[in-house]
Amino acid sequence: MLGSVASTEARVAVTAGILLATLAVGWLLLPRAVRTGERVTTRWLERFLDGRGESSLETMREALPTSFALRLLVGLFQLALFALAAVAILALWGQFAVVVAVLPVAENALTIGARAFLSAMLLGTAYVASDVLDEYVEDLSADSDRITAHQEQLLSRIMQVGVLVIAGVTVLGIWGVNLGGLLVGAGFLGIVLGMAARQTLGSLIAGFVLMFARPFEIGDWVEIGDEEGFVTEITIMNTHMGNFDGEYVVVPNDLVTNQAITNRSREGRLRIHMEVGIGYDDDPDEASEIAEEVLTEIETIANNPKPYVIPSGFGDSAILLDLRFWIEPPTPQARWRSKATAVGLIQDRFADAGISIPYPQRTVSYPPGTPETGETVERAARRNDGHPSDRPT
């Protein structure tokens, strides 16, 4: 249609009209349209996200301010509009050779610009989506008692990594990267890294096993192998503990899964065993009743189930009584305090009742032909060695 304009006056008039229309649209309508679209998009995102992803959006605003992004978008639209106007004017004046020569360059520039724009949009969307998924998992964990803090952390990380991997693969596909060769290279690299970092991968896999097995949670009082303390943090690679000496202990997850784990907090209560010995001349039943009364009077000891004491065996110098009682909730302080209180009170009550707590004793007998009973072993030895003061007169 533009090529059909023959007269110079008409071409000048059409050229002026194209330039005026381009300036009017590019300088007046485009900025307003972009700002209106930005406001509409922002309101829609706020309703869709419902308060989630605010931190990632704020980070993106700091990295790329809204005003700069709007100016950049308006500039791109203006550039495209002016390019279209230039093509129209060249076609109007019959300069088709110039249009044909410039068209491949413009096409390549448009393709690269579109790829860059789509890549930036995909990566930005993935970044916001990872933050939204993290907050969604937090809300889900807050509403459910079956999701622990460890599972929440691992689930969030898995979902975030999955979103970012999908976005990265899509961006590579947009830029025409051969994903088949990349996957083959990644496979060989994975084999090499797997052989070089077997322990690290073992800890990683053990972290996922701990997430689903849930032998303990953050804050539990546990014993893992030779280490005992409270679990402070559970990561994909390690389990962090604080022991009773104030030390910070880090145990790799592969060692955690390969050792016996004792969780003293899981059931909400813990049974304590103590032994006390009484003399063979004392009454075990009376001593057991007194010990049970003492245990029921201690505040840190639970009354349901009630504590009980039973004679458990014959010791070298005493009859052994086994004291069994529960503490609730189980804490190291409650265990130590209940034991110390029980020891002090039982000793006092046994003393009042005339029940002895004997110390170890040893009886020495002499075979026939040894020195007289009243003679000490040391004096007999000295006499046998010929000491003058120990010879009989």
Side-chain angles (χ1 to χ4, degrees), residues 194-237:
M195 296 179 63
R198 287 176 294 179
Q199 184 174 0
T200 302
L201 292 177
S203 297
L204 180 64
I205 296 174
F208 288 100
V209 173
L210 290 177
M211 181 186 73
F212 294 105
R214 297 175 60 182
F216 49 78
E217 300 175 6
I218 295 177
D220 283 354
W221 172 19
V222 299
E223 182 179 353
I224 304 174
D226 297 332
E227 302 293 341
E228 182 178 3
F230 289 97
V231 179
T232 58
E233 186 180 2
I234 306 172
T235 64
I236 297 180
M237 302 298 299

Side-chain angles (χ1 to χ4, degrees), residues 30-255:
L30 267 179
R32 295 182 180 180
V34 170
R35 291 190 182 93
T36 303
E38 188 269 338
R39 288 194 295 269
V40 173
T41 304
T42 301
R43 288 196 295 267
W44 179 81
L45 282 176
E46 289 177 353
R47 290 195 300 268
F48 177 75
L49 296 177
D50 192 20
R52 299 187 178 95
E54 293 183 356
S55 60
S56 59
L57 290 174
E58 187 64 28
T59 302
M60 293 181 64
R61 289 193 187 99
E62 293 177 357
L64 186 65
T66 304
S67 59
F68 175 78
L70 290 177
R71 288 197 300 270
L72 179 62
L73 188 60
V74 170
L76 292 175
F77 280 133
Q78 289 175 343
L79 181 62
L81 183 61
F82 292 153
L84 182 61
V87 170
I89 292 173
L90 291 173
L92 175 64
W93 289 92
Q95 301 295 324
F96 293 104
V98 177
V99 175
V100 173
V102 174
L103 187 60
V105 178
E107 183 179 359
N108 290 334
L110 182 62
T111 302
I112 293 174
R115 289 177 178 178
F117 178 76
L118 288 177
S119 300
M121 289 294 295
L122 278 173
L123 293 177
T125 303
Y127 180 70
V128 176
S130 64
D131 193 14
V132 172
L133 288 174
D134 188 19
E135 296 183 7
Y136 175 77
V137 172
E138 289 181 1
D139 296 339
L140 183 64
S141 175
D143 297 335
S144 175
D145 296 334
R146 304 188 62 180
I147 300 179
T148 64
H150 182 206
Q151 291 176 325
E152 174 188 340
Q153 183 184 23
L154 289 181
L155 186 60
S156 299
R157 295 295 179 268
I158 292 172
M159 296 178 69
Q160 289 175 345
V161 170
V163 170
L164 294 177
V165 167
I166 293 174
V169 171
T170 306
V171 169
L172 292 177
I174 290 175
W175 288 95
V177 178
N178 185 5
L179 297 178
L182 186 63
L183 291 176
V184 172
F188 283 110
L189 181 62
I191 294 174
V192 174
L193 292 178
M195 296 179 63
R198 287 176 294 179
Q199 184 174 0
T200 302
L201 292 177
S203 297
L204 180 64
I205 296 174
F208 288 100
V209 173
L210 290 177
M211 181 186 73
F212 294 105
R214 297 175 60 182
F216 49 78
E217 300 175 6
I218 295 177
D220 283 354
W221 172 19
V222 299
E223 182 179 353
I224 304 174
D226 297 332
E227 302 293 341
E228 182 178 3
F230 289 97
V231 179
T232 58
E233 186 180 2
I234 306 172
T235 64
I236 297 180
M237 302 298 299
N238 302 306
T239 297
H240 302 254
M241 298 172 55
N243 62 16
F244 303 141
D245 295 330
E247 298 172 336
Y248 184 72
V249 182
V250 179
V251 184
N253 286 335
D254 58 334
L255 296 181

